[in-house]
Amino acid sequence: MFTSRRAPAALAVLAGGALLISGCSADRGGSSSDASGSAGATGPSNATITVAHEQEFNAYNNNTADQNAVQNSVVLNNVLDGFWDFGPDGGLRNNTEFGTFEKTSDDPLTVKYTINDKAVWSDGEPIDCDDIVLTWAANSGKFASQETDENGNPLSGFSSASTSGYEDMNFPECNAGDKTVTVTYTKTFADWASAFGINPNIMPAHIVAKNAGVSDLIGALKNNTADQVAALAKFYNTGFIGNPGTVDKANWVSSGPYLIDSWQAGQSITLKANPKWWGTPAKTGTIVIRFIDATAQAQALANGEIQVARPQPAADILKQLQAINPPVKIDQGDEYTFEHLDFNFQGEFKDANLRKAFALCVPRQQIVDNLIKPVNENATVLNSRYKLAFQEGYQGVVQASYSGQYDQPNIEQAKQLLGGKTGVTVRIGYQTPNQRRTNAVSLIKASCDQAGFNVQDAGQEDFFGNGLAAGNFDVALFAWSGSPLVSGNASTYITGGGNNNGKYSNPQVDQLTATLLTQTDTAQQDQTIGQIEKILWDDLATIPIFTFPGVQANDTKVSGPAFQPAQSQQTWNDNEWAVAQQS
């Protein structure tokens, strides 16, 4: 499992790069389907398509620091809509069926948003100014709670995986019920075109206000009325967390082609076509997302239990997919996702020498050779956190920041840094089941125990809920899933960032990150990224390992599924999937 790294603010827990905006409007499926399951003009078919995902859905609000994970976005991709989504190449594409936006001024940066007049939530409530204001407020970091951090600083009332971009916006200019909203920035923001889209999702303001007992949401936020803001934040943070097996239909209202219809705990979640959706109808009436471990997905596809699979990469899984008869369609490609090891700076690894010693014994090349090259023979060790190996500018960033000191294990040097200590416990946390990560931990243990560490496999099923967010790890092994947006890393390495689970802090990184977010020139961005990466390597904030090689497969009787490298994963266009006519 991996978390979606928010861009501009992930599920997961979200890759940096130059902003690439396709400029095309979203294709919401084109033709619809008739009741027999074939293309027609009457709306979604009565067919069902089943897709596998490894981890179970757990929250309808995918924006908070604790719930920002791919396991949620896979369900919500076409349930919660916005002004943009990720297109086929992983870049942004405008969704004109939801609404349109345009930059009206560079100084100050000003953007005008116009919501489709027909846009309504699935309960019939119009999508309007209130929803935009709530999205801004919840992700702006401007509303403090009465609680404080370990240094006595007030915490944000609303939980957000990242405030990037939103923190630079003034209060949105609109009135209750307005379909037009103007946003003015206090400074330039490189990824301005990535606001109010699918990540962070636009949540239903009327639902939050009703459950918080607030009659005037805009007024409460504009006046910063403490008790009302606290009530809004409390429901926003916790009111959308799922109870396995229960669909909260009163509160989980949809703004996209699908809505959540049912949930079998530990088994599956079912999406149905949203009858209130005003845009191009989804082609298929029912999408079932089954929770299936990666190692079982190929067999499920062969048996016809599922029609679409996207397991995490592993050589044996790829071979199983290739052996299916009749053959299935298999797509492969690089993802905007990378595996890494994160240190817990609140524990023993606050000691820089301990971090360096561990980095010197981690067999990164062996992990890539043994576990990734069988899937992608061209796979290499990743030496950047902002740029992935297939992205333009990667080599330049690496040359400016990394000298190769951790290319291969150096056990003797690691022993020297440990000062003769032995049995130094290192609990490596990750989400189970995941055989590839279990194998990776075994390889790390075999190497690092020689240096004096005692590596322990601390994998757990609820690692993201009760391990990573709670700081219950020495080293965390997981992946960030993102996009080409340059702001994707903003909250991961800055002090107090929503995605900064290890509590790393360096004022220079904070300052350079702020500079990066104002740069629109790719060359300037790459230069700043190189400076940030050099500090991250000097401090050993984290250890990057490899870029994910993606694998997706589908039954050839289903049209529409296509590999996409961004954090949306396999369901990014599930509203466009269709099956052949059923008898």
Side-chain angles (χ1 to χ4, degrees):
M1 177 57 194
F2 35 84
T3 59
S4 164
R5 182 164 54 195
R6 287 277 295 280
L11 207 206
V13 173
L14 339 293
L19 175 63
L20 175 61
I21 302 175
S22 64
C24 60
S25 60
D27 176 10
R28 286 296 186 183
S31 63
S32 57
S33 303
D34 64 26
S36 68
S38 60
T42 59
S45 74
N46 64 358
T48 297
I49 295 175
T50 303
V51 54
H53 190 67
E54 294 177 48
Q55 300 294 336
E56 186 165 12
F57 173 84
N58 68 353
Y60 200 73
N61 184 355
N62 196 34
N63 303 331
T64 67
D66 292 347
Q67 307 303 331
N68 180 225
V70 172
Q71 67 197 81
N72 296 324
S73 63
V74 160
V75 173
L76 299 172
N77 275 328
N78 285 298
V79 172
L80 292 175
D81 223 331
F83 287 95
W84 62 269
D85 59 14
F86 291 111
D89 64 353
L92 304 191
R93 64 176 183 177
N94 298 343
N95 178 11
T96 55
E97 292 193 322
F98 184 88
T100 59
F101 61 97
E102 60 176 331
K103 182 170 66 172
T104 60
S105 172
D106 285 312
D107 188 17
L109 175 59
T110 305
V111 185
K112 179 182 177 181
Y113 294 86
T114 303
I115 302 167
N116 191 317
D117 284 339
K118 298 178 181 179
V120 295
W121 295 98
S122 56
D123 60 1
E125 185 74 17
I127 300 173
D128 55 29
C129 167
D130 291 58
D131 302 303
I132 301 300
V133 169
L134 175 63
T135 303
W136 166 79
N139 296 284
S140 68
K142 296 182 184 294
F143 296 89
S145 124
Q146 295 179 344
E147 299 179 10
T148 59
D149 63 17
E150 60 271 14
N151 298 316
N153 300 313
L155 296 170
S156 175
F158 292 93
S159 175
S160 175
S162 174
T163 60
S164 297
Y166 293 91
E167 64 187 351
D168 300 324
M169 297 177 185
N170 292 314
F171 200 105
E173 299 171 33
C174 59
N175 297 312
D178 286 353
K179 287 282 191 174
T180 300
V181 182
T182 299
V183 172
T184 303
Y185 287 76
T186 59
K187 59 184 178 181
T188 300
F189 178 57
D191 288 338
W192 63 268
S194 64
F196 304 111
I198 63 166
N199 201 346
N201 294 118
I202 298 171
M203 300 301 295
H206 67 289
I207 296 295
V208 175
K210 178 182 177 181
N211 283 278
V214 175
S215 59
D216 181 7
L217 178 142
I218 294 176
L221 292 169
K222 187 167 288 186
N223 298 320
N224 200 5
T225 307
D227 58 339
Q228 294 186 340
V229 172
L232 291 168
K234 181 178 180 180
F235 185 82
Y236 180 90
N237 295 344
T238 63
F240 292 105
I241 296 175
N243 177 21
T246 301
V247 175
D248 187 358
K249 292 189 177 183
N251 294 321
W252 293 2
V253 292
S254 166
S255 58
Y258 285 108
L259 51 76
I260 298 179
D261 180 72
S262 61
W263 184 356
Q264 289 184 284
Q267 299 296 317
S268 65
I269 199 161
T270 298
L271 309 181
K272 292 283 189 180
N274 175 9
K276 293 289 187 179
W277 169 245
W278 60 93
T280 305
K283 289 187 176 181
T284 298
T286 303
I287 301 291
V288 177
I289 301 171
R290 283 192 55 190
F291 315 127
I292 303 177
D293 181 62
T295 57
Q297 288 188 22
Q299 188 62 55
L301 187 60
N303 293 344
E305 299 169 31
I306 62 173
Q307 286 75 54
V308 184
R310 186 156 176 170
Q312 287 201 43
D316 56 342
I317 293 174
L318 179 59
K319 289 179 181 178
Q320 290 170 21
L321 292 171
Q322 293 169 334
I324 295 176
N325 190 24
V328 296
K329 176 175 175 280
I330 299 175
D331 295 322
Q332 293 180 259
D334 291 313
E335 294 185 6
Y336 285 107
T337 301
F338 75 98
E339 191 88 338
H340 54 95
L341 292 160
D342 283 15
F343 294 107
N344 185 347
F345 280 72
Q346 301 298 299
E348 294 297 320
F349 278 108
K350 62 187 175 185
D351 183 336
N353 281 336
L354 197 65
R355 297 195 301 276
K356 292 176 182 178
F358 188 74
L360 283 167
C361 65
V362 172
R364 294 195 300 155
Q365 186 66 58
Q366 186 182 17
I367 291 172
V368 170
D369 289 345
N370 289 16
L371 306 180
I372 305 304
K373 279 194 174 182
V375 183
N376 175 12
E377 61 182 11
N378 298 316
T380 59
V381 171
L382 181 68
N383 289 318
S384 170
R385 305 153 188 84
Y386 272 77
K387 292 275 191 178
L388 300 187
F390 63 90
Q391 287 185 274
E392 186 176 352
Y394 169 76
Q395 292 296 341
V397 166
V398 172
Q399 289 172 8
S401 61
Y402 176 64
S403 59
Q405 63 270 41
Y406 304 111
D407 281 355
Q408 296 289 347
N410 188 329
I411 302 302
E412 291 307 313
Q413 189 176 351
K415 286 180 178 180
Q416 293 174 15
L417 287 170
L418 285 177
K421 294 180 183 177
T422 58
V424 179
T425 299
V426 180
R427 296 170 301 129
I428 300 183
Y430 63 99
Q431 184 150 352
T432 60
N434 189 307
Q435 189 58 50
R436 194 196 70 245
R437 289 196 175 119
T438 298
N439 293 343
V441 172
S442 295
L443 292 174
I444 294 171
K445 179 176 178 60
S447 179
C448 288
D449 281 11
Q450 298 178 50
F453 290 103
N454 174 25
V455 173
Q456 297 180 359
D457 185 324
Q460 59 186 91
E461 288 188 13
D462 60 347
F463 177 67
F464 288 113
N466 294 316
L468 187 64
N472 184 24
F473 65 94
D474 296 318
V475 173
L477 175 62
F478 65 107
W480 284 125
S481 182
S483 73
L485 294 170
V486 72
S487 57
N489 274 306
S491 71
T492 307
Y493 306 110
I494 61 170
T495 304
N499 282 339
N500 188 350
N501 301 289
K503 310 301 182 187
Y504 167 74
S505 178
N506 186 309
Q508 288 180 285
V509 170
D510 297 346
Q511 182 178 2
L512 286 167
T513 301
T515 298
L516 176 65
L517 297 182
T518 68
Q519 295 175 326
T520 57
D521 179 76
T522 302
Q524 289 182 336
Q525 290 174 353
D526 286 356
Q527 183 177 9
T528 303
I529 289 171
Q531 293 175 301
I532 294 172
E533 285 281 12
K534 187 175 188 312
I535 298 171
L536 295 178
W537 274 117
D538 290 344
D539 289 348
L540 263 183
T542 66
I543 306 174
I545 307 176
F546 59 83
T547 303
F548 263 50
V551 177
Q552 183 167 314
N554 64 271
D555 188 315
T556 57
K557 292 189 292 294
V558 175
S559 65
F563 179 85
Q564 188 237 52
Q567 61 200 46
S568 309
Q569 297 289 303
Q570 63 269 44
T571 60
W572 69 279
N573 69 336
D574 56 8
N575 58 307
E576 299 174 10
W577 297 356
V579 295
Q581 185 170 349
Q582 298 175 333
S583 57

